Amino acid sequence: MSVEMAVLSVKVPDPVKPTGILQQNRVFLDFFWDLAKPDQEVRLKALENLVQYLKTNNKADELEYTFKRLLDGLAHTREAARPGFSLALGQVLCAFEDVSLQSVLDKIKVKHNLQTVTKKLMRNAMFGNLFGVLALHQSGRISKEPQVVLGCVQLLQSLSQHRQHLKDLPTKTMTDILNEIPEEVFEEVLLSALQTDLASAFSTPEQLHLLLVALRRFPQTLKPKKLKKLLGSSTIINADNIPKLTEVLKMAARSVKKECVLPAVVLDLLKLSLKENSFQLFWNNAIVNGMLKEHPGPTHYLSFRLLGRALPLLSAAQLKEVMSGEVMIHYGEHVMSSQKPGRFKLAPEMETYVSDFLEGCQDADKQLAVMVGFSSLSHKGCPVVPSVWRVVQHLQPEAVQSYVEWLKNMFLQPQLDKLLDFSTRKQKDNKEGKEQEDNSIFHLRRWIVSRLCSIIDNHQLKKQEDLIMGVARFVFFHAFFSAKKASPKIRETMGTLSDPLDDKTRGVLVNSFFGLLLSMHHLPPCEDPADGAAVNQKRTLGVTADGTMWIYHLVQYAQLLLSQPKLAQSSQPFSPEQRQAWDSMLESVETLKKKAKKGPTAESGAFQQVFLLVGMHLFKAPEELLDIMRDLQSCVDMAQEKKAKKKEQGQEEGPAWVEVMVEILLSLLSQASRHIRQVCKAVFSSICPHVTAAALTGILEVLDPEKDDEEDGALFVTDDNKAQKKNANEDDDEEMDDKSDGSDDDSDEDGEAMEEDEEDEEEDEEEEGELEEGVVDQNFRLELMKVLQQQNALATEDDGSSDEDLDDDAMIELDKGLSALFSEQKKKTQAKKDEKTKMQKEKTLVRDFKIKVLDLVEVFVARRAGSPLVLGLVEPLLNIIDRGMSSDSNQQEQDFLRRAADIFRNQLCRSKVYCRTASDRQGELHDLLEKLMTKTQKLSDSSVCLYYFSASLYVVKVLRGPPPTEAKEEQTADGAAANDFSFMGNVDVDRVSAIFRDALSSFMGRRKSPLTAQMFTDLFNRFPVLCVKLLDTIVQHITSGCRVHQKGQACMLVLRAMQSREVQQLLSGAPWTELCVTVAGQLTASLQRLGPTESKMVKEKVVKTLELCQFLVKHVHQQKLSVDLEPLQKVLQSLTTTIAFKKTGKLEDNYWAVVKHFGVIKPKVEKTKPDKEANQPQLPKKKKGFLPETKKRKKRDIPILEPAAAAAAAAAEADNSTSRYRAGADKGQAKKKHDKKTKQKRPADGAAASQPNPAKKSKTAPSESKTAKKTKKKPKLKKEGGGQM
């Protein structure tokens, strides 16, 4: 008994589960999932967490599991996962140095054995081995175990055979390993293993790169004797190896065709050539005579990239040699040919190479050699690099100075033979001798001037003041003067011109000088490094270190030239009157400078600028600016006299000099100069406090749209001259390099846009002229008849004469007459076309001028927004907007309109500063308001109406003035609540209310009104007093609006008004209750008139009505007002019978929200699943694969047979059924095959495709006949059976 119980009590232990790691927390296992994700940040985070986890726990089983998972992941099918597992394996090996690398390498070889793996997983196994070696290399411990190094290299050598999958990755990995190991390990372990790879260095770029890395890393091991034993020569670069190296370079170029990079082997080869003193041999034979002999493509691009990367490695002499060689010429040809669209451009890469070189190089001689080399690469005299090249910002000050001197010398004495000029085949064949040389000189000088100006315009480049002034003096001198005698007093006379300057070159110099003048106007001061304390201070632009304007220095230089006629001669000498104007200008500037020393003001500085700028423009257009200079001088004198009289007498009369100054500024704005435009803007800003109504009227008259047809003589003289100059330089502009910047052009951006519009409009006019030529002119017809009648060449009905009866003399006379007639007609047509073109140009010029004049208006509104004169801008700006909305829609018109609208609405109407001293102009402002609102109602465009309405609100704001609290500047906590909303200042509330009431009635009573509800909403929000005055009118229109839409808008306006807190305070007490009663009655009447309809407009109106009802009912209940809402409740209850409600929607939601306040709750609809069986009639299910009932054979009565006969009949029936089944099966198989054939050969014609297939008829017909025969035989069987019985 006890034995049995003892036996029973013994339990057999359960088997131990091998999944101990998997039963632990999921955090550890999730690391491996994250390592396989495509996001690099997730992989790196998982790697960091995994290493930290293993270090913290330090469990052997987890570490072993980690190695297992990481080794498996090296051959992951997802490409993004392999680097993650490889990096993780390397970091784990780095963290746990007690793990042997040899053991890990053995596991890698076993796990990813290429001999045992299936063919399907062969590629993954290759990558597993490769990434395994990479992991060992990334561990940083591989150099400590030489046998592991040997094993890795041998494994990589075996993988290098599978180039179709791994490409050059094994060889690159071997190169990386060589960069890490010491020379002892290489000599003892790897040299014998790499013997074959090093010996075949000239086979592939990768093997050559392996040899070059070994040479660089282990020079003591790979001595010349060893190299001679390996390669047959003691050096890599020699005459015998050049052909082999060239082939390897070509292979390298083709291998990186898509990557667009320079292979590392090429750069290493260049470095080796410099080390072996064989650079010239390598460059001339391998690159110039080898790579460049191929057709343009990858080999050329590799040569250009090698040139860019070689710049930091070469000496100054080598740089000069390379920069003047064949590689540069081919690069220039590539730059010219790549300008066509869709072609590969290497110029941006070369710019990066040059920029990196200049930034990292501190040798001024090398920098100069590179800049001169690229500047000398030219095509027909014009350098291929752009004149505005950002790389110059990295030049050293010495290099900048030397480079500028080189440019000046090349301008004075163009040495075309020293340029690296290239040309195409056609240009080489079609040499034009002297004319071609002159064009090349012109192109070169034009580029040099642009480059000089761009150097000054580059604010990133460190420049000295002497350099800036030297360039400006050089350009100014050669633009307007020529040297007569060399003198050290004027350095520019020391340089002699080898070729005289023509008019085209002087035109480029003039434009470039004024562009340079603009750049100097915005030039920051040249600060010394010691002045670092004033970094955060505001710097004045356009002045030198001592505070003098740059333009003043140039004026002094011009005075020096004019005072030395023996040394310098002006290209356009001044007349006595012009010289007198120049001298008086200098006197005025000196006077202003003396007064500015006593007390500097913005006004004196602005006057100096405009004096100096007009003085410099005297050299360009002396006749045009002579009168302006005189007026300017008299104007400044008058201004100073007026100020002195004011101080003495205290008079407050407006100075007349302001009107003259405004006229001068308007005249200057007609000049196509951005600099003049900016100076005029600055001058007008300084004289804004003195501007009078007459001066402002002069500006507004220019902008008046009604005076567009009137011609301003001064304006058109200037613009016509500008147009003539533009046409004269048109050919020059076409020859300009596309990459040159606009620094040599002084015209502003608006002028450039204007020229583009002019070209488009000229094309349109030409098309119109061609169409008009197609219409026969009656006068021309009559003249033609006269010519024919004079020569008796016109056939008539009476005589059958024709031109065949005329003799030769008569025919000649007839030809002369017809020729003269058609020539005259052609001249008339061309004259009409020219007249149209001229009118269009004049119109464009006037519009461009008006855009500039808007600058003055904008400045005045910004500086004098609180002046009463601003009120005079309202109507003119509105007229501009009104006319602009209905005028042409070209880009220039749109810019002008957009600018005027922005000034009016954003800077005038919405400005926080406005006129607050209009108490003496109440009547005038009320009349203006009435005029604006009357015009508003007559407009047809709602967008224009919005501007007029905004102007009306602005006038009301001016009339009201500042509120009392704002004037007292009370800053109490409850100050906002204490505001007196009834304050309206100088506003005649009754008159203004009547004006807006008429507008409101017009909006509610007209079917098409330009007014909108949003306009009145703005009125109510800004002026609650007017809202209260207009409330009764709006409430009436809830039922009396002309359309359903207006009635809905009335409801919306009443709702916005009643929601206003200011309106509620103004109508507090009995008026508010009375208003609620009136609104409730109107809403009741409106809903009672509602008829059954599904119109969208009616529903929108009902929605707005219900919104107002909801606010009213809620407010009455909350405030407990004595308002009878029972009639409204009854109407709302009957509303469901009038309009068909849906389950959900805005109308329904608003309705139930209203009746909720009366205690009516929206009924809840129980959601029931629709009974599909009850709703859908049961259709007989059609069995698939069976014949329909109509096709089935009817059942027949089978007679009762004897056992033998029955057995025979059953057997026969079975045979028949079997045969039918087989026949059907065969038929089905045949049908499937036939369907496949018909799918392959589908007829193109739809009709043919829809016809029945004759094959089907032939198959179905016999079956029917057989069935009929069988049915006929069966009665005989019955008779036979009966006979036997």
Side-chain angles (χ1 to χ4, degrees):
M1 183 76 179
S2 61
V3 175
E4 292 178 359
M5 292 185 65
V7 173
L8 291 175
S9 62
V10 176
K11 295 183 179 179
V12 180
D14 297 334
V16 180
K17 296 183 179 180
T19 58
I21 298 296
L22 297 179
Q23 289 180 346
Q24 296 182 7
N25 59 354
R26 296 292 303 175
V27 177
F28 175 64
L29 299 177
D30 287 341
F31 294 150
F32 303 103
W33 286 98
D34 291 341
L35 286 174
K37 290 184 177 179
D39 191 357
Q40 184 177 3
E41 295 182 359
V42 176
R43 294 202 303 264
L44 294 177
K45 187 66 176 177
L47 169 60
E48 182 181 355
N49 294 335
L50 175 62
V51 175
Q52 187 66 29
Y53 180 87
L54 293 175
K55 286 183 177 180
T56 304
N57 292 352
N58 197 14
K59 294 181 179 180
D61 55 348
E62 290 180 347
L63 185 61
E64 183 179 357
Y65 181 77
T66 299
F67 280 114
K68 178 181 179 302
R69 287 292 300 270
L70 294 180
L71 291 177
D72 292 342
L74 295 175
H76 204 286
T77 55
R78 193 184 305 164
E79 294 182 1
R82 299 170 193 156
F85 284 103
S86 176
L87 182 60
L89 179 59
Q91 295 300 316
V92 171
L93 289 174
C94 181
F96 297 92
E97 295 186 359
D98 53 341
V99 179
S100 173
L101 295 183
Q102 185 64 47
S103 62
V104 177
L105 179 61
D106 295 339
K107 291 180 181 179
I108 292 173
K109 292 180 179 179
V110 173
K111 181 65 180 178
H112 308 294
N113 190 356
L114 299 181
Q115 305 297 329
T116 59
V117 74
T118 60
K119 187 176 181 181
K120 184 178 180 180
L121 301 177
M122 178 69 74
R123 186 172 184 273
N124 293 340
M126 296 176 190
F127 280 104
N129 287 305
L130 176 65
F131 280 103
V133 175
L134 284 174
L136 296 176
H137 169 61
Q138 291 170 352
S139 67
R141 300 165 45 197
I142 192 171
S143 59
K144 300 178 182 178
E145 300 185 25
Q147 295 303 319
V148 176
V149 175
L150 179 61
C152 289
V153 169
Q154 292 175 348
L155 182 58
L156 291 173
Q157 287 176 334
S158 64
L159 293 176
S160 61
Q161 302 174 2
H162 307 281
R163 189 176 178 82
Q164 69 276 17
H165 297 296
L166 303 178
K167 296 183 179 180
D168 56 347
L169 291 177
T171 309
K172 287 184 177 180
T173 308
M174 281 192 282
T175 304
D176 295 338
I177 293 176
L178 290 183
N179 284 321
E180 296 293 332
I181 62 175
E183 189 166 1
E184 295 79 10
V185 176
F186 174 77
E187 184 176 3
E188 296 175 1
V189 179
L190 287 186
L191 183 58
S192 58
L194 294 176
Q195 193 86 13
T196 306
D197 293 316
L198 296 178
S200 59
F202 297 118
S203 302
T204 62
E206 293 78 19
Q207 290 176 328
L208 177 60
H209 190 212
L210 188 68
L211 174 62
L212 295 178
V213 172
L215 275 174
R216 187 183 73 248
R217 289 278 298 147
F218 317 115
Q220 299 300 324
T221 303
L222 295 176
K223 293 183 178 180
K225 292 183 179 179
K226 188 66 176 179
L227 278 180
K228 188 173 182 64
K229 183 178 179 181
L230 286 173
L231 305 175
S233 60
S234 58
T235 58
I236 303 295
I237 301 175
N238 52 52
D240 296 334
N241 293 338
I242 286 295
K244 303 176 184 178
L245 292 175
T246 305
E247 293 300 322
V248 174
L249 291 177
K250 291 178 182 179
M251 293 171 59
R254 298 187 191 99
S255 65
V256 294
K257 181 179 180 180
K258 296 182 179 180
E259 288 79 4
C260 298
V261 294
L262 180 69
V265 61
V266 183
L267 187 60
D268 288 348
L269 206 56
L270 175 69
K271 294 178 180 178
L272 182 64
S273 67
L274 293 172
K275 184 179 179 181
E276 293 181 353
N277 295 326
S278 56
F279 171 73
Q280 289 186 347
L281 175 66
F282 169 73
W283 191 263
N284 294 331
N285 294 340
I287 303 299
V288 177
N289 296 328
M291 304 290 284
L292 296 181
K293 295 302 180 182
E294 297 287 323
H295 291 290
T299 55
H300 285 222
Y301 301 151
L302 183 141
S303 303
F304 303 153
R305 293 188 179 102
L306 182 60
L307 171 65
R309 293 294 299 273
L311 295 178
L313 306 175
L314 304 180
S315 63
Q318 291 172 337
L319 279 174
K320 292 180 181 179
E321 180 182 358
V322 169
M323 300 304 292
S324 60
E326 290 293 327
V327 178
M328 286 292 291
I329 294 179
H330 283 80
Y331 173 71
E333 293 176 352
H334 162 75
V335 172
M336 296 302 298
S337 62
S338 64
Q339 291 180 356
K340 296 181 180 180
R343 295 198 175 185
F344 172 70
K345 296 178 176 59
L346 197 127
E349 294 184 41
M350 184 62 72
E351 182 176 349
T352 304
Y353 289 137
V354 177
S355 179
D356 294 341
F357 162 71
L358 295 178
E359 187 176 6
C361 179
Q362 303 298 325
D363 190 347
D365 294 336
K366 290 185 178 181
Q367 289 185 339
L368 179 63
V370 172
M371 292 303 300
V372 170
F374 278 99
S375 301
S376 302
L377 181 62
S378 62
H379 174 62
K380 295 196 298 185
C382 182
V384 298
V385 294
S387 60
V388 183
W389 212 18
R390 292 177 297 179
V391 300
V392 298
Q393 67 189 22
H394 302 301
L395 291 176
Q396 298 292 325
E398 300 82 3
V400 176
Q401 186 67 42
S402 303
Y403 183 54
V404 169
E405 292 299 327
W406 181 84
L407 291 173
K408 291 180 180 179
N409 294 332
M410 189 60 70
F411 179 89
L412 296 173
Q413 298 180 354
Q415 300 175 359
L416 300 180
D417 54 338
K418 290 188 177 181
L419 295 179
L420 200 62
D421 199 85
F422 63 91
S423 56
T424 60
R425 294 178 183 176
K426 293 182 180 180
Q427 292 167 351
K428 290 179 181 178
D429 298 338
N430 301 330
K431 290 185 178 180
E432 299 178 3
K434 180 64 176 176
E435 183 178 357
Q436 178 68 28
E437 183 178 354
D438 293 342
N439 289 334
S440 299
I441 293 175
F442 167 71
H443 293 156
L444 177 61
R445 282 176 168 171
R446 182 180 61 183
W447 183 89
I448 289 174
V449 173
S450 299
R451 171 55 64 87
L452 287 172
C453 294
S454 68
I455 289 175
I456 304 303
D457 194 30
N458 193 333
H459 295 176
Q460 304 296 326
L461 177 63
K462 297 179 181 179
K463 305 176 290 290
Q464 300 296 328
E465 290 185 354
D466 294 339
L467 176 68
I468 299 172
M469 196 61 200
V471 172
R473 287 164 56 116
F474 180 84
V475 177
F476 176 78
F477 179 84
H478 292 288
F480 302 108
F481 289 87
S482 58
K484 293 180 64 177
K485 182 181 178 181
S487 173
K489 295 181 180 179
I490 305 175
R491 288 178 297 173
E492 285 70 29
T493 59
M494 301 295 291
T496 57
L497 291 168
S498 60
D499 293 280
L501 300 177
D502 54 0
D503 294 337
K504 291 167 60 176
T505 307
R506 286 196 183 273
V508 171
L509 284 165
V510 170
N511 291 332
S512 299
F513 171 72
F514 287 104
L516 179 61
L517 206 59
L518 176 62
S519 300
M520 297 172 72
H521 179 64
H522 296 286
L523 200 64
C526 301
E527 297 180 352
D528 296 331
D531 301 338
V535 174
N536 296 327
Q537 296 181 1
K538 184 178 180 181
R539 299 180 300 175
T540 304
L541 303 181
V543 297
T544 58
D546 57 356
T548 308
M549 289 183 289
W550 284 106
I551 190 172
Y552 179 76
H553 288 290
L554 289 173
V555 168
Q556 294 296 321
Y557 176 68
Q559 175 63 17
L560 174 64
L561 295 177
L562 291 174
S563 62
Q564 300 288 339
K566 294 182 180 180
L567 302 180
Q569 180 181 3
S570 175
S571 58
Q572 293 183 356
F574 282 166
S575 64
E577 296 179 351
Q578 295 166 358
R579 183 58 189 267
Q580 183 182 358
W582 172 265
D583 295 336
S584 60
M585 180 269 296
L586 292 177
E587 295 177 1
S588 301
V589 170
E590 293 299 329
T591 304
L592 290 172
K593 286 180 70 67
K594 291 179 181 178
K595 293 184 178 180
K597 290 181 180 179
K598 299 178 181 179
T601 59
E603 184 178 341
S604 63
F607 279 138
Q608 289 183 51
Q609 282 189 5
V610 71
F611 262 123
L612 296 171
L613 187 57
V614 173
M616 296 306 291
H617 274 269
L618 277 176
F619 290 96
K620 182 179 181 181
E623 297 178 358
E624 300 174 14
L625 297 175
L626 181 61
D627 295 335
I628 295 178
M629 179 66 78
R630 292 174 179 171
D631 295 339
L632 185 61
Q633 291 168 353
S634 61
C635 177
V636 174
D637 294 339
M638 290 170 59
Q640 301 299 329
E641 292 175 4
K642 284 286 183 181
K643 285 185 177 181
K645 289 181 180 180
K646 273 189 177 183
K647 290 181 180 179
E648 295 175 1
Q649 304 176 4
Q651 297 178 354
E652 296 182 359
E653 297 178 359
W657 63 269
V658 175
E659 301 171 18
V660 181
M661 178 59 73
V662 168
E663 293 294 334
I664 293 173
L665 295 180
L666 292 175
S667 301
L668 289 175
L669 284 177
S670 63
Q671 301 287 328
S673 171
R674 191 187 310 170
H675 194 182
I676 289 181
R677 182 178 181 180
Q678 294 178 356
V679 170
C680 288
K681 194 172 179 180
V683 171
F684 187 76
S685 177
S686 65
I687 66 173
C688 267
H690 310 290
V691 171
T692 61
L696 192 60
T697 303
I699 297 175
L700 297 177
E701 285 179 353
V702 176
L703 299 173
D704 190 359
E706 304 297 334
K707 297 183 179 181
D708 277 349
D709 299 333
E710 299 180 6
E711 295 182 357
D712 189 349
L715 173 64
F716 284 106
V717 167
T718 302
D719 290 334
D720 287 340
N721 291 339
K722 171 194 167 189
Q724 290 174 5
K725 291 177 183 178
K726 218 183 293 183
N727 294 334
N729 296 330
E730 186 175 359
D731 298 335
D732 304 347
D733 296 337
E734 292 176 355
E735 294 174 355
M736 287 286 285
D737 189 14
D738 294 334
K739 295 184 179 180
S740 63
D741 189 73
S743 60
D744 57 347
D745 190 6
D746 195 31
S747 60
D748 53 7
E749 295 175 353
D750 298 333
E752 294 171 358
M754 178 192 65
E755 291 173 4
E756 295 175 359
D757 293 338
E758 284 178 7
E759 294 174 359
D760 297 337
E761 288 160 1
E762 284 177 5
E763 294 175 1
D764 297 338
E765 292 294 337
E766 289 176 2
E767 294 176 0
E768 292 175 4
E770 292 174 359
L771 294 175
E772 289 177 1
E773 289 177 1
V775 180
V776 180
D777 189 3
Q778 293 298 328
N779 295 329
F780 175 67
R781 184 192 294 272
L782 294 176
E783 294 293 333
L784 181 60
M785 297 285 289
K786 289 180 181 179
V787 173
L788 294 176
Q789 287 177 356
Q790 289 175 0
Q791 300 298 329
N792 296 326
L794 188 63
T796 60
E797 296 180 358
D798 299 337
D799 57 346
S801 61
S802 64
D803 54 356
E804 295 179 357
D805 299 337
L806 299 176
D807 55 3
D808 293 342
D809 295 338
M811 290 292 291
I812 292 173
E813 292 295 328
L814 179 61
D815 289 342
K816 290 181 179 179
L818 292 176
S819 176
L821 178 62
F822 279 99
S823 177
E824 186 68 22
Q825 180 65 19
K826 186 176 181 180
K827 291 180 181 179
K828 291 181 180 179
T829 305
Q830 185 64 34
K832 291 180 180 179
K833 189 188 301 183
D834 294 342
E835 184 67 21
K836 288 185 178 180
T837 304
K838 181 181 178 181
M839 291 176 61
Q840 189 66 33
K841 283 186 176 181
E842 290 178 354
K843 184 179 178 182
T844 306
L845 290 169
V846 171
R847 182 64 62 211
D848 177 57
F849 172 67
K850 288 187 175 184
I851 291 175
K852 297 177 183 178
V853 174
L854 279 178
D855 290 346
L856 306 184
V857 178
E858 185 178 12
V859 169
F860 186 78
V861 172
R863 295 290 304 274
R864 300 294 306 279
S867 172
L869 296 177
V870 174
L871 299 174
L873 298 174
V874 174
E875 287 189 280
L877 289 175
L878 286 175
N879 291 334
I880 293 173
I881 295 172
D882 191 7
R883 176 66 70 91
M885 288 290 189
S886 58
S887 62
D888 299 335
S889 60
N890 56 17
Q891 186 63 39
Q892 195 184 29
E893 289 285 348
Q894 292 179 6
D895 294 340
F896 178 66
L897 175 61
R898 192 180 298 111
R899 184 85 182 281
D902 177 72
I903 294 173
F904 175 75
R905 191 167 189 187
N906 296 329
Q907 302 185 35
L908 180 63
C909 294
R910 295 181 177 177
S911 176
K912 294 182 179 180
V913 181
Y914 58 91
C915 178
R916 306 188 181 192
T917 59
S919 57
D920 56 339
R921 304 178 63 180
Q922 298 179 26
E924 180 183 349
L925 291 176
H926 281 89
D927 295 339
L928 176 61
L929 175 62
E930 187 171 0
K931 182 180 178 181
L932 291 175
M933 289 305 301
T934 303
K935 181 67 180 294
T936 301
Q937 300 173 43
K938 295 180 180 180
L939 294 172
S940 57
D941 192 352
S942 181
S943 58
V944 180
C945 178
L946 177 61
Y947 288 99
Y948 273 86
F949 200 88
S950 300
S952 303
L953 297 182
Y954 173 74
V955 173
V956 176
K957 180 175 71 171
V958 172
L959 279 170
R960 184 187 63 178
T965 53
E966 185 178 342
K968 296 178 183 179
E969 297 182 358
E970 296 179 355
Q971 297 181 355
T972 58
D974 56 346
N979 284 338
D980 187 7
F981 300 113
S982 61
F983 174 78
M984 288 300 289
N986 299 318
V987 178
D988 187 351
V989 178
D990 295 334
R991 181 179 178 183
V992 173
S993 300
I995 293 173
F996 283 106
R997 186 177 291 109
D998 293 340
L1000 185 60
S1001 301
S1002 173
F1003 170 57
M1004 293 295 176
R1006 289 174 55 184
R1007 296 182 63 85
K1008 292 184 179 180
S1009 175
L1011 298 167
T1012 61
Q1014 185 61 40
M1015 298 178 186
F1016 291 99
T1017 303
D1018 294 340
L1019 172 66
F1020 297 163
N1021 292 334
R1022 297 174 66 176
F1023 307 106
V1025 175
L1026 298 179
C1027 176
V1028 172
K1029 293 289 185 180
L1030 299 177
L1031 257 179
D1032 54 348
T1033 305
I1034 309 173
V1035 173
Q1036 291 176 5
H1037 285 97
I1038 292 178
T1039 56
S1040 62
C1042 69
R1043 289 193 307 171
V1044 176
H1045 175 68
Q1046 270 85 350
K1047 295 177 183 178
Q1049 294 296 321
C1051 293
M1052 189 267 291
L1053 288 175
V1054 173
L1055 176 61
R1056 297 291 180 266
M1058 296 184 70
Q1059 288 176 339
S1060 174
R1061 183 169 55 89
E1062 295 85 355
V1063 174
Q1064 293 177 10
Q1065 292 183 9
L1066 291 171
L1067 292 175
S1068 59
W1072 180 256
T1073 305
E1074 184 180 352
L1075 175 64
C1076 292
V1077 172
T1078 307
V1079 173
Q1082 288 291 95
L1083 290 175
T1084 304
S1086 175
L1087 293 175
Q1088 284 176 348
R1089 298 177 186 178
L1090 194 63
T1093 180
E1094 292 293 333
S1095 173
K1096 181 180 179 182
M1097 296 294 295
V1098 174
K1099 288 188 175 182
E1100 290 180 357
K1101 179 247 181 183
V1102 174
V1103 169
K1104 291 182 173 60
T1105 306
L1106 291 175
E1107 290 176 354
L1108 180 57
C1109 289
Q1110 181 183 359
F1111 173 79
L1112 178 65
V1113 175
K1114 180 180 179 181
H1115 187 75
V1116 168
H1117 287 171
Q1118 286 180 351
Q1119 301 295 330
K1120 298 180 180 180
L1121 302 177
S1122 57
V1123 180
D1124 186 12
L1125 298 177
E1126 186 176 353
L1128 182 60
Q1129 181 180 0
K1130 292 180 180 179
V1131 175
L1132 289 172
Q1133 290 176 355
S1134 62
L1135 192 62
T1136 53
T1137 60
T1138 306
I1139 296 180
F1141 283 84
K1142 299 178 182 179
K1143 293 181 180 179
T1144 58
K1146 194 173 183 179
L1147 175 62
E1148 292 73 17
D1149 295 342
N1150 282 300
Y1151 173 78
W1152 292 113
V1154 174
V1155 298
K1156 182 180 180 181
H1157 296 289
F1158 293 109
V1160 180
I1161 306 299
K1162 181 179 180 180
K1164 292 185 179 180
V1165 181
E1166 295 182 1
K1167 295 182 180 180
T1168 57
K1169 294 183 179 180
D1171 191 359
K1172 297 182 179 180
E1173 297 180 357
N1175 296 335
Q1176 297 179 358
Q1178 292 186 354
L1179 298 176
K1181 292 184 179 180
K1182 183 178 180 181
K1183 297 181 180 180
K1184 295 182 179 180
F1186 290 88
L1187 290 173
E1189 295 294 335
T1190 56
K1191 298 294 183 180
K1192 288 184 179 180
R1193 188 174 58 188
K1194 294 181 180 180
K1195 293 182 180 181
R1196 63 184 186 278
D1197 297 333
I1198 300 176
I1200 301 174
L1201 303 176
E1202 291 183 357
E1213 186 68 24
D1215 293 337
N1216 290 337
S1217 64
T1218 304
S1219 62
R1220 283 197 302 270
Y1221 171 76
R1222 290 176 180 174
D1226 295 341
K1227 184 178 179 181
Q1229 293 294 332
K1231 186 175 182 181
K1232 288 181 181 179
K1233 293 180 181 179
H1234 183 71
D1235 289 344
K1236 291 182 181 179
K1237 292 180 180 179
T1238 55
K1239 287 181 182 178
Q1240 295 175 357
K1241 300 179 181 179
R1242 187 177 297 277
D1245 191 1
S1250 62
Q1251 294 177 358
N1253 196 344
K1256 292 183 179 181
K1257 290 184 178 180
S1258 62
K1259 288 184 178 181
T1260 54
S1263 63
E1264 293 176 357
S1265 61
K1266 290 179 181 179
T1267 307
K1269 290 179 181 178
K1270 290 179 180 179
T1271 54
K1272 289 180 181 178
K1273 292 180 180 179
K1274 287 178 181 177
K1276 292 182 179 178
L1277 180 62
K1278 185 177 181 179
K1279 288 181 180 179
E1280 292 174 358
Q1284 290 175 356
M1285 290 178 65

